[in-house]
Amino acid sequence: MMPMDRRHFLQLSLALAGLSACGGKERPRPVPGAIVGANAAVGHLLRDERQPPHSDDFRRTGILIVGAGVAGLSAARHLERAGYHDFKVLDLEDVAGGNSRSGSNAISPFPWGAHYVPTPNNDLTEYLQFLREADVVTGFDALQRPVYNEYHLCFDPQERLFLNGRWQEGLVPQFGLPAADLREIDRFLARMDEFRKAIGSDGRPAFAIPVDASSRDARYTGLDRITFRKWMEEAGFRSPYVHWYADYCTRDDFGARHDVVSAWAGIHYFAARKGAGANAAQGDVLTWPNGNAFLVDALRKGIEDRILTGHVALHLRTAGKGVTVDVLDVKKNASMHYGADHCLLAIPQFAAAHLMRDHSRRDRARQALHYTPWMVANLQVRDLPERPGVGSCWDNVLYDSPSLGYVDATHQLIRERSPLRNLTYYLPLTEGAPEAARRAARGHDHAHWAETVLRDLEPVHPGIRKHVERLDVLLWGHAMAQPLPGLLHGPLRAELALSPHPCVHFAHSDLAGISIFEEAFYQGLGAAKKILAHA
C-alpha cells in the first residue's frame, strides 16, 4: 500500500465506523497571540539557590524523582513495571513532558517541542517494547522486524524544501542545482552511509544509539576532537548546498551549527539510525498531532497519581543513607520536605548542581554543557497561499533560513483537508553564545517574535499575515546541550554521570551528549535499574 493510499484507507475506515470528517480584509496589528509557558521565573528560584519558606510538612517516599521529562518518566515507568510503587515525581512546570510538551486549540493538538521520532534501531528491545505498549508497534513479522501502526507513521507527503523559487520534494537540495553540486551531495550521502555500516575494532558499531553503545575505536572517537564543518572541509566537501544541509541537520537535532558541534556528533546524526520495520523503510518517522507528547502520555500511563507538577525542588541534602529535599508547591506557595531512600535527578546538570549546592559540579557543567535556547511558535492559519511546486507537507523547510521551518500539526489527522491548520515553527537561537542569546530572547516581546516568524515565512506564503488568526510563542531557555568537540568522548561527561552519594543518581539527555528521545529513555531506564539494584 502506497503512503497516500494509507491516508485514504484510514479516512475510509473511520467513515465506515460512523465517524464524521471535519468537514480581502487585512488583519489588524499586532497579530493576536501571547508568549506562553515555560516557567523561567520558577526555575530561577533554583538558579538563585533560594530557600523555601519554613515548613513542618515532612513527607516520606522510597524514591524521589526530580524532573518529569522523558528521562524521569522513563525511570518511573520502569520502577512501576518492576513492582516498585513507592515513588514520587516532581516537576516545576504545570505539565509533565519537558521538551516534549504540547498544546491544543479548537483546531487540533500541536507540539511545543520535540515532534517526531525516527523508526528505531531494531536492537533497542526495551524501547520497542515501550512502543508496543503504546500501540505504536503492533507486532513483529517472521524476521522479527517491528510492524508499525499505520496511524503513527508519517503520512505522505512528508517533507519539502523551498529552494530556487519553488518547493521541491525532500529536504536534500536538488532543484536547480549545478551538476557538480549534485555529485557532491551524492558523495556526501554515500560517505555517511559508509559510516552507518562501519564497525570498530572492538566489534561495536562505529555510531550507535544509545551513544555509549558506540565503538571506542580511535579511528572514530577521534572525530570528536574537531568540528563537523572542519571534517567536511578536510574531506573535500565544498558545495554550499552540502554545507547548508549538514548545518540544517545539526541545528535540527542538536540546536547548534555544524561549525560548532563535533564531527562525531554530526556524523552520528546520519550514521546511527539503522532500523527498518516490516512496513517502514529506514529513515521513516513516527509522528502525532501533539508531537512527542503522545509518547509522554504513554510513559505517564498508570503513574499519574505520583506525578506532582508545579512543584520545584530547591535544596537537596544527604542524610545518612537517605536524602531530604526541600520542595515548593508553586501554586499554593507552600513548602514541604521530602525524605527518600534514593533521589534521581532527571534534570539538566546545571540545575542538579544548584539543587545540591555543589559549585564544583556547577563549574564543570558550565565548562562542558552549553544549552541552546529555542523559540517555538504555533500559527493558527486559514487558507494559506502557496508557492509553486510540491504541495503542503508535514515538514516544510526554507533553504538558507535561520529557522528550521514548520511542521503541520494537522497533517496526521484522519479527516478531510480543512482550511484551518496549526503550523508549529521552530527557531533555534544559534547566533552567538547561548547565554547571550537567552538574555536577548527574554527581552523580546510577542510583537517582535510574531514579526520574526511572518517575515521568514512571507517569501513562501505571500500575504501570510492576513491568513494568520493567532500566533503564540514559547521560549525554551535551555532546550538541549550542544555536543561540542570533546564532550561525547572526553572524560567530563562520564565524570558528571557518577553518583556523588550512594543515594543520589542522575538521568538526563545532557549526560548522553545528544538530546534525542531514545537517549533520554535509556538514561531513565539505566538509572532506575541502578536504584533497584541497591533498593
Side-chain angles (χ1 to χ4, degrees):
M1 180 181 294
M2 297 297 290
M4 280 299 291
D5 292 335
R6 178 171 68 238
R7 163 171 269 190
H8 294 153
F9 172 78
L10 295 174
Q11 288 174 338
L12 179 61
S13 297
L14 289 183
L16 292 175
L19 300 176
S20 60
C22 298
K25 186 176 180 181
E26 193 73 18
R27 289 283 175 189
R29 294 192 182 188
V31 175
I35 297 178
V36 302
N39 204 331
V42 174
H44 289 170
L45 295 175
L46 176 58
R47 179 199 65 183
D48 299 337
E49 298 185 358
R50 300 280 185 86
Q51 287 295 124
H54 174 75
S55 173
D56 294 323
D57 185 353
F58 188 88
R59 307 181 185 188
R60 181 78 193 167
T61 189
I63 299 171
L64 185 67
I65 300 173
V66 180
V70 172
L73 294 175
S74 173
R77 169 184 172 273
H78 184 74
L79 294 174
E80 180 76 3
R81 285 169 51 84
Y84 191 100
H85 312 298
D86 184 18
F87 62 84
K88 290 287 191 296
V89 185
L90 309 180
D91 199 273
L92 64 85
E93 297 293 346
D94 292 336
V95 294
N99 292 349
S100 294
R101 65 186 296 180
S102 67
S104 183
N105 56 32
I107 301 173
S108 72
F110 55 85
W112 272 129
H115 53 280
Y116 73 99
V117 292
T119 51
N121 293 352
N122 293 19
D123 60 348
L124 299 180
T125 305
E126 298 94 344
Y127 181 42
L128 285 167
Q129 181 58 40
F130 160 65
L131 293 180
R132 184 161 192 180
E133 291 174 9
D135 197 36
V136 175
V137 170
T138 60
F140 296 86
D141 70 1
L143 299 176
Q144 291 305 300
R145 297 176 302 179
V147 179
Y148 290 100
N149 189 325
E150 297 280 357
Y151 285 93
H152 305 314
L153 284 167
C154 184
F155 297 142
D156 272 353
Q158 291 189 22
E159 301 169 323
R160 64 177 180 171
L161 172 67
F162 190 77
L163 174 65
N164 293 328
R166 67 182 293 119
W167 290 105
Q168 65 148 63
E169 184 177 2
L171 300 186
V172 179
Q174 298 288 328
F175 176 72
L177 270 63
D181 292 280
L182 290 172
R183 287 195 297 271
E184 189 165 307
I185 286 174
D186 288 342
R187 184 166 69 88
F188 174 78
L189 295 176
R191 189 74 180 96
M192 294 300 105
D193 194 52
E194 290 174 10
F195 280 121
R196 185 179 64 82
K197 298 172 182 175
I199 302 294
S201 58
D202 52 7
R204 293 180 171 190
F207 299 89
I209 297 172
V211 162
D212 289 334
S214 302
S215 173
R216 298 297 189 270
D217 189 325
R219 288 178 299 166
Y220 304 111
T221 60
L223 294 166
D224 194 43
R225 294 195 292 268
I226 62 173
T227 67
F228 193 24
R229 177 170 180 168
K230 182 174 177 60
W231 176 85
M232 291 178 65
E233 290 171 346
E234 290 178 350
F237 295 108
R238 299 285 186 268
S239 167
Y241 297 102
V242 175
H243 278 270
W244 173 84
Y245 181 58
D247 187 70
Y248 164 81
C249 292
T250 61
R251 289 186 299 127
D252 180 37
D253 245 27
F254 312 136
R257 303 187 310 271
H258 80 313
D259 62 349
V260 170
V261 305
S262 85
W264 195 94
I267 295 169
H268 183 275
Y269 175 94
F270 297 94
R273 299 196 179 279
K274 317 170 201 296
N279 59 338
Q282 186 179 355
D284 280 355
V285 299
L286 301 158
T287 189
W288 305 270
N290 57 341
N292 288 8
F294 174 90
L295 298 177
V296 165
D297 289 343
L299 288 172
R300 292 172 60 243
K301 187 176 181 181
I303 60 172
E304 295 92 341
D305 59 328
R306 279 154 287 170
I307 300 173
L308 303 176
T309 56
H311 284 65
V312 57
L314 292 176
H315 190 191
L316 180 153
R317 297 181 299 278
T318 57
K321 295 183 179 180
V323 299
T324 300
V325 180
D326 299 335
V327 176
L328 178 68
D329 181 332
V330 177
K331 289 184 178 179
K332 297 180 180 178
N333 193 31
S335 60
M336 64 205 72
H337 310 287
Y338 268 96
D341 298 322
H342 291 270
C343 184
L344 172 57
L345 301 181
I347 55 179
Q349 276 295 300
F350 70 88
H354 284 298
L355 183 58
M356 296 186 294
R357 306 295 193 263
D358 186 341
H359 293 172
S360 173
R361 176 179 290 272
R362 179 199 64 191
D363 293 342
R364 284 181 294 156
R366 283 179 177 174
Q367 172 191 344
L369 301 172
H370 302 267
Y371 298 82
T372 302
W374 286 63
M375 187 277 287
V376 181
N378 186 72
L379 293 76
Q380 299 179 40
V381 302
R382 180 187 294 272
D383 296 320
L384 198 63
E386 288 281 358
R387 289 293 190 185
V390 174
S392 180
C393 294
W394 165 70
D395 196 8
N396 306 266
V397 177
L398 288 65
Y399 180 80
D400 216 19
S401 165
S403 77
L404 300 175
Y406 64 86
V407 295
D408 184 344
T410 58
H411 186 78
Q412 290 295 105
L413 296 179
I414 311 303
R415 69 181 191 190
E416 294 300 325
R417 178 67 66 179
S418 168
L420 282 168
R421 292 187 287 156
N422 278 316
L423 310 182
T424 308
Y425 172 97
Y426 294 87
L427 178 65
L429 304 177
T430 59
E431 295 303 318
E435 186 174 352
R438 267 191 296 277
R439 287 196 302 267
R442 288 196 296 267
H444 295 316
D445 61 11
H446 174 267
H448 168 89
W449 292 119
E451 196 62 27
T452 297
V453 176
L454 296 176
R455 284 183 179 178
D456 190 28
L457 297 182
E458 175 68 29
V460 296
H461 298 297
I464 185 174
R465 185 179 303 274
K466 66 182 180 181
H467 297 273
V468 176
E469 300 194 340
R470 184 176 177 89
L471 190 158
D472 292 313
V473 169
L474 188 145
L475 297 173
W476 294 102
H478 302 81
M480 57 185 64
Q482 301 175 349
L484 305 182
L487 174 63
L488 294 171
H489 291 286
L492 192 54
R493 185 170 66 89
E495 290 174 12
L496 291 173
L498 294 174
S499 296
H501 186 276
C503 58
V504 178
H505 317 275
F506 302 108
H508 193 270
S509 61
D510 63 0
L511 292 173
I514 290 179
S515 183
I516 58 176
F517 189 94
E518 297 99 314
E519 293 288 354
F521 178 88
Y522 278 100
Q523 282 281 321
L525 180 65
K529 289 180 177 180
K530 180 180 178 182
I531 293 172
L532 288 174
H534 296 90

